[in-house]
Amino acid sequence: MSEPETRVHHRTCPLCEATCGLELTVLGDRITRVRGDREDVFSKGFICPKGASLGHLVHDPDRLRTPLVRRDGELVPASWDEAFAAVAEGFGRIWADGDRNAVAIYLGNPNAHTVAGTMFGRPLIQSFGTRNLFSASTVDQMPKHVSAGLMFGNPGAIPVPDLDRTAYLLMLGANPVESNGSLCTAPDFPGRLAAIRERGGQVVVVDPRRTRTAELADRHVAIRPGTDALWLAALVTEVANLGPLDLGNLEGLAVGADEAVAALAPFDADSVAAHTRVPADETRRVAAELAAAPTAAVYGRIGTHTTELGTTASWLVDLLNALTGNLDREGGAMFPTPAAGRPDRPGGPKAGKGFRTGRWHSRVSGHPEVRGELPVAALAEEITTPGPGQVRGLLTVAGNPVRSCPDSDALDAALGSLEFMVSVDIYLNETSRHADVVLPSPSPVAKPHFDLAFHGLSVRNVVNYSPPLWPADAPGEPGLDEHEILARLALIASGMGPEADPEVVYDLMAGQLAAGAGLEADAEADAARAATRPPAERLIDLVVRSGAYPDLDIDVLLAHPHGIDRGPLRPRVASVLRTESARVELAPEPLLADVARLVERLATEPEDGLLLVGRRHLRSNNSWMHNVGVLTKGRVRCTLQVHPDDAARRGLVDGGTASVRSASGAVEALVEVTADVAPGTVSLPHGWGHDAPGTRMSVAAATTGPNSNVLTPAEPVDPLSGNARLNAIPVEVVPAG
Ligand SMILES: Nc1nc2c(c(=O)[nH]1)N[C@H]1C(S)=C(S)[C@@H](COP(=O)(O)OP(=O)(O)OC[C@H]3O[C@@H](n4cnc5c(=O)[nH]c(N)nc54)[C@H](O)[C@@H]3O)O[C@H]1N2
Ligand SMILES: Nc1nc2c(c(=O)[nH]1)N[C@H]1C(S)=C(S)[C@@H](COP(=O)(O)OP(=O)(O)OC[C@H]3O[C@@H](n4cnc5c(=O)[nH]c(N)nc54)[C@H](O)[C@@H]3O)O[C@H]1N2
Ligand code: SF4
Ligand SMILES: [Mo]
C-alpha cells in the first residue's frame, strides 16, 4: 500500500456570491486545509470563515451519502435505481389524474451556485410542465428582476455598483461585511469599501441597525424599517430640486425622467421624515452629496427588497442612479459583461419584447406569475386549499422553505400533508424530512463549478471554471452528479421513465446551445470533443464559446485555475436593453401606477410599535450551514436584539427570554439588549430553529434559537413581484413566562 499523496487544488468557493478562489490541501480523500487562493485574479487571497470551513462541510458525517426512500413511514437507504423508480411511481400517480399543476417545484438558493441549478433547472422545469413553480427568488431579489424588467426590458439586466471606482456609495438594506455582498459579486467587499474611503470617497449606510458595515462607513442613517421606498422617493425630489438633471451616458437613451419626478413630488425630505425617522436635514444632505459626487452609486439589497414596496424601492434605486447621471457610467451603477452572456451589440439599442408579468395567476389568491414563478408565500395555501388544481406533490431542489419562507409553521404542516414529495439535498433537514424520496447531491468539491449567475453580477468581468476535485462516485460521495440527478428527474417527468439515459438530455441541451449560438457548423468537431469530456464541461464549453469572449473555451478555462480577468466594467446599456421603446424606461407605467400605494402610505399614520427585522452573521449561511461545528460554536447567534429603551419599557433584560408575537405566530428568544438596533426595531436572524424531529443534523440540533419565519406572515407580499415581506413585521415583545 502506498502512502496517500498531498496535493493542492484550486477552486471557486460556492458558498456565497463573492466567488472567492480557494486553495485546498488534500491528503488522499481528505481536505486537510483551506486557504484563500492568493493567485485568484479576483479575490487575491481573501477568504471568510465559511469558505475556510469547506472541508468540514465536505466531511460532515451527517451529509447524506445514499438516496433515501420512505418505506412503512421510515426513510431508509436505497439504491439510485430504487429511488428513481419510487419517484416515477409517486409523481406518476399524481400526473395520471391529468393535472400537471398538481406537482409543484421549489428551487432553493444554492441552485444559483451550482451547474446543475443554473444550467439544468430549465429542462427540469420544462419537463414538469407545472405552473406551480416557486423559488427562493420570491423571498429575495424578485423585486430587482421586476424593476429591471420594466426599466430595461430585461429582468436579468441588474446594475451593480462599480465599487472599485465609485466616489460615493449609498447603500441601503445591505450588510456586506457579514453577507459578503449580494447582486454585487465582490470578493473582499469590506476591503473594497475601505478603499472607497482611502481614495477620498464616501460610504453612507442606511439600515435600522448599526451594522459592522455601518461602522466602516462615513455615516449611518438609522431608517425606520419598511420605509426605504418613501425615503428614496424623497431623495428623487430633493435631487431634482437642486437643478437641471443630467442623465450622463443615458442622455437620449432614456425616457420618462420628467414624469417620474412629477409623480414623486409629494415626497420630500420633510414629508417623509416622520415615517422614515430620518431628519430632513440628513435627507437633504445625502441628496446634495449624491448630486455633487464626481461618481456615485446607489445600491439596495435585502432590507430594501423584502418589503411590500420592494419593487418600487428597487426602481427608485436605479432611478436615482439615472437622474444623477450615474447609470451605466464608470464609478456608477453598471452592467457586467459575463463570459456566458451576449457580446456588445453594435449600432445602438434595438427594440425588444419588453417585460410582462401575470401570464397566469395563482389558484387561491390570484397572485400574478412573475418570470414563470408564483410567490413562495402562497405555496402553503396552494397545498392546503382543496379543489381542482390543488398541489398534491412537490419537488424541492436545494431549498429549505420550512425555515426560509413566510409562515413556516403553516408551510411545515402543509408539506406534511402532501401525497408525495421528493427532495434533492445534501442534508435531511426541516424540509427534506417530509420527502418520500431524498436524492443526495454530492458535496460541492465533487461537482464542477461555474458561476453562470454571478459572473453577470460582478464588479469586474471575471470568469473561472473549477473541475470536480474528485468524482461524484468517490468514497464519501453519493454516486451521481447533481446535474445527472436533475436530468434523470426531467426524463421521468417527460414520460421516458426512471431508466432513461441522461445523455438524451445532454445531447438535447448541447444541440439547443449550439443552434442558439450558430455553432452547428462545428457539430462534428463538437461531437469529437464531447466524447472526451464530462457533460457539464461540454455544455460550459458551448456557453463560453458563444458568449462575450469568443476566444475562450473550456480548455482555456481549465488552463486558468485562478480565473481570467477581463477588466473593469464598461458602459453597455444599449446592449442589454430589451424594451419595446428601445429606451431606458425611467417611468414605466406599472411603477408609476404603484406610486399611489406610496402616497397612501404617506397619508397613513406612521406605525409606532415594534418592527422586526432580520440580520445575517458572517459564520452562518441561511439555514443550512449550522451543522458545521467550527462555525456554530461559541456564543448563541440567534438572539433577539432590543434597544435599551425598548427593553426597559417592557421589562426585558439582557440574557433573559422574550416571547415575540406577530400576526402569524409566536416564538421565544434569548434577549440581547444593544443600542446597535434603532429604538422601535428588534432583530432576529432567520434560518434557525433546528429542533424539529426527523432531521439528521446532529450539530445543528444542538444549537439554540427559534425559527424567525414563524413570525413572518404570508401576506402581504409585494404585489408587483410577489416577494415576501420578511422585514418590518409588527411584533409584540414581552418577557417570557
Ligand atoms: N426572515 C428571513 N427569511 C429569509 C431571509 C431573510 O433575510 N429573512 N432571506 C431569504 C433569502 S435571501 C434566501 S436566498 C432564502 C433561502 O432559502 P432556501 O434556499 O430555501 O434556504 P437555505 O437555507 O439556503 O437552504 C438551502 C438548502 O440547500 C441544501 N444544499 C446546500 N448545498 C446544496 C447543493 O449543492 N445541492 C443541493 N441539492 N442542496 C444543497 C441545504 O442543505 C438546504 O436544505 O431564505 C430567505 N429567507
Ligand atoms: N454570512 C452570510 N452570508 C450570506 C448569507 C447568510 O445567510 N449569511 N446569505 C446569502 C444570501 S442568500 C443573500 S440574499 C445575501 C444578502 O445579503 P445582504 O443584502 O447584505 O443581507 P443582510 O446581511 O441580511 O442585510 C440586510 C440588512 O438590511 C437591514 N434592514 C432590514 N430591514 C430594513 C429596511 O426596511 N430598510 C433598510 N434600509 N434596511 C433594512 C438589516 O438590518 C440588515 O442589516 O447574503 C448572502 N450571504
Ligand atoms: S466570502 Fe463567500 S465566497 Fe468568499 S470564502 Fe466566504 S463564503 Fe466563500
Ligand atoms: Mo438570498
mmCIF file of all heavy atoms in Angstrom, residues 10 21 23 36-45 561-563:
data_model
loop_
_atom_site.group_PDB
_atom_site.id
_atom_site.type_symbol
_atom_site.label_atom_id
_atom_site.label_comp_id
_atom_site.label_asym_id
_atom_site.label_seq_id
_atom_site.Cartn_x
_atom_site.Cartn_y
_atom_site.Cartn_z
ATOM 1 N N HIS A 10 -7.202 24.076 -6.628
ATOM 2 C CA HIS A 10 -7.795 25.422 -6.576
ATOM 3 C C HIS A 10 -9.207 25.375 -7.113
ATOM 4 O O HIS A 10 -9.455 24.747 -8.143
ATOM 5 C CB HIS A 10 -6.947 26.401 -7.388
ATOM 6 C CG HIS A 10 -5.586 26.572 -6.811
ATOM 7 N ND1 HIS A 10 -4.485 25.908 -7.290
ATOM 8 C CD2 HIS A 10 -5.161 27.310 -5.756
ATOM 9 C CE1 HIS A 10 -3.435 26.233 -6.561
ATOM 10 N NE2 HIS A 10 -3.808 27.079 -5.629
ATOM 11 N N GLY A 21 -11.620 32.616 -4.640
ATOM 12 C CA GLY A 21 -10.777 31.483 -5.005
ATOM 13 C C GLY A 21 -10.254 30.810 -3.743
ATOM 14 O O GLY A 21 -9.799 31.476 -2.816
ATOM 15 N N GLU A 23 -7.790 27.676 -1.995
ATOM 16 C CA GLU A 23 -6.697 26.726 -2.197
ATOM 17 C C GLU A 23 -6.884 25.590 -1.199
ATOM 18 O O GLU A 23 -6.823 25.798 0.009
ATOM 19 C CB GLU A 23 -5.354 27.421 -1.962
ATOM 20 C CG GLU A 23 -4.174 26.500 -2.191
ATOM 21 C CD GLU A 23 -2.871 27.159 -1.784
ATOM 22 O OE1 GLU A 23 -2.416 28.068 -2.494
ATOM 23 O OE2 GLU A 23 -2.325 26.746 -0.734
ATOM 24 N N GLY A 36 -7.343 31.030 1.391
ATOM 25 C CA GLY A 36 -7.662 31.877 0.252
ATOM 26 C C GLY A 36 -6.597 31.689 -0.812
ATOM 27 O O GLY A 36 -5.416 31.576 -0.484
ATOM 28 N N ASP A 37 -6.996 31.652 -2.072
ATOM 29 C CA ASP A 37 -6.047 31.497 -3.174
ATOM 30 C C ASP A 37 -5.457 32.865 -3.515
ATOM 31 O O ASP A 37 -6.135 33.713 -4.097
ATOM 32 C CB ASP A 37 -6.769 30.894 -4.386
ATOM 33 C CG ASP A 37 -5.874 30.828 -5.615
ATOM 34 O OD1 ASP A 37 -4.653 31.089 -5.489
ATOM 35 O OD2 ASP A 37 -6.410 30.522 -6.702
ATOM 36 N N ARG A 38 -4.187 33.061 -3.138
ATOM 37 C CA ARG A 38 -3.581 34.381 -3.347
ATOM 38 C C ARG A 38 -3.440 34.729 -4.812
ATOM 39 O O ARG A 38 -3.321 35.882 -5.179
ATOM 40 C CB ARG A 38 -2.221 34.448 -2.667
ATOM 41 C CG ARG A 38 -2.408 34.809 -1.212
ATOM 42 C CD ARG A 38 -1.085 35.078 -0.543
ATOM 43 N NE ARG A 38 -1.105 34.354 0.712
ATOM 44 C CZ ARG A 38 -0.087 33.698 1.216
ATOM 45 N NH1 ARG A 38 1.062 33.674 0.603
ATOM 46 N NH2 ARG A 38 -0.218 33.074 2.359
ATOM 47 N N GLU A 39 -3.417 33.697 -5.664
ATOM 48 C CA GLU A 39 -3.257 33.967 -7.096
ATOM 49 C C GLU A 39 -4.596 34.171 -7.802
ATOM 50 O O GLU A 39 -4.625 34.426 -9.004
ATOM 51 C CB GLU A 39 -2.508 32.819 -7.758
ATOM 52 C CG GLU A 39 -1.030 32.794 -7.430
ATOM 53 C CD GLU A 39 -0.380 31.561 -8.022
ATOM 54 O OE1 GLU A 39 -0.257 31.483 -9.250
ATOM 55 O OE2 GLU A 39 -0.039 30.657 -7.234
ATOM 56 N N ASP A 40 -5.704 34.015 -7.075
ATOM 57 C CA ASP A 40 -7.003 34.228 -7.722
ATOM 58 C C ASP A 40 -7.076 35.663 -8.246
ATOM 59 O O ASP A 40 -6.795 36.617 -7.507
ATOM 60 C CB ASP A 40 -8.143 33.976 -6.733
ATOM 61 C CG ASP A 40 -9.501 34.047 -7.411
ATOM 62 O OD1 ASP A 40 -10.018 35.178 -7.592
ATOM 63 O OD2 ASP A 40 -10.033 32.991 -7.778
ATOM 64 N N VAL A 41 -7.445 35.791 -9.520
ATOM 65 C CA VAL A 41 -7.371 37.114 -10.161
ATOM 66 C C VAL A 41 -8.343 38.111 -9.534
ATOM 67 O O VAL A 41 -8.194 39.317 -9.704
ATOM 68 C CB VAL A 41 -7.654 37.029 -11.684
ATOM 69 C CG1 VAL A 41 -6.587 36.204 -12.395
ATOM 70 C CG2 VAL A 41 -9.052 36.442 -11.950
ATOM 71 N N PHE A 42 -9.336 37.635 -8.811
ATOM 72 C CA PHE A 42 -10.400 38.495 -8.309
ATOM 73 C C PHE A 42 -10.319 38.622 -6.785
ATOM 74 O O PHE A 42 -10.342 39.725 -6.255
ATOM 75 C CB PHE A 42 -11.737 37.892 -8.736
ATOM 76 C CG PHE A 42 -12.916 38.808 -8.730
ATOM 77 C CD1 PHE A 42 -12.785 40.185 -8.618
ATOM 78 C CD2 PHE A 42 -14.197 38.277 -8.892
ATOM 79 C CE1 PHE A 42 -13.902 41.012 -8.634
ATOM 80 C CE2 PHE A 42 -15.312 39.093 -8.918
ATOM 81 C CZ PHE A 42 -15.166 40.458 -8.779
ATOM 82 N N SER A 43 -10.188 37.499 -6.088
ATOM 83 C CA SER A 43 -10.253 37.539 -4.624
ATOM 84 C C SER A 43 -8.882 37.716 -3.984
ATOM 85 O O SER A 43 -8.796 38.102 -2.815
ATOM 86 C CB SER A 43 -10.930 36.287 -4.092
ATOM 87 O OG SER A 43 -10.189 35.135 -4.426
ATOM 88 N N LYS A 44 -7.823 37.406 -4.714
ATOM 89 C CA LYS A 44 -6.444 37.691 -4.279
ATOM 90 C C LYS A 44 -6.157 37.231 -2.854
ATOM 91 O O LYS A 44 -5.487 37.932 -2.086
ATOM 92 C CB LYS A 44 -6.157 39.188 -4.419
ATOM 93 C CG LYS A 44 -6.407 39.682 -5.851
ATOM 94 C CD LYS A 44 -5.692 40.963 -6.153
ATOM 95 C CE LYS A 44 -5.570 41.201 -7.633
ATOM 96 N NZ LYS A 44 -6.536 42.124 -8.207
ATOM 97 N N GLY A 45 -6.690 36.076 -2.492
ATOM 98 C CA GLY A 45 -6.379 35.508 -1.183
ATOM 99 C C GLY A 45 -7.440 35.745 -0.122
ATOM 100 O O GLY A 45 -7.390 35.155 0.949
ATOM 101 N N PRO A 561 -6.698 28.015 -13.538
ATOM 102 C CA PRO A 561 -7.405 27.668 -12.297
ATOM 103 C C PRO A 561 -7.581 28.862 -11.354
ATOM 104 O O PRO A 561 -8.380 28.782 -10.422
ATOM 105 C CB PRO A 561 -6.510 26.596 -11.662
ATOM 106 C CG PRO A 561 -5.170 26.771 -12.295
ATOM 107 C CD PRO A 561 -5.411 27.313 -13.672
ATOM 108 N N HIS A 562 -6.867 29.953 -11.582
ATOM 109 C CA HIS A 562 -7.025 31.140 -10.723
ATOM 110 C C HIS A 562 -7.945 32.171 -11.373
ATOM 111 O O HIS A 562 -8.065 33.291 -10.886
ATOM 112 C CB HIS A 562 -5.664 31.765 -10.422
ATOM 113 C CG HIS A 562 -4.660 30.770 -9.947
ATOM 114 N ND1 HIS A 562 -4.719 30.178 -8.701
ATOM 115 C CD2 HIS A 562 -3.583 30.210 -10.565
ATOM 116 C CE1 HIS A 562 -3.714 29.313 -8.568
ATOM 117 N NE2 HIS A 562 -3.017 29.312 -9.687
ATOM 118 N N GLY A 563 -8.577 31.791 -12.473
ATOM 119 C CA GLY A 563 -9.526 32.684 -13.115
ATOM 120 C C GLY A 563 -8.897 33.541 -14.199
ATOM 121 O O GLY A 563 -7.675 33.606 -14.345
#
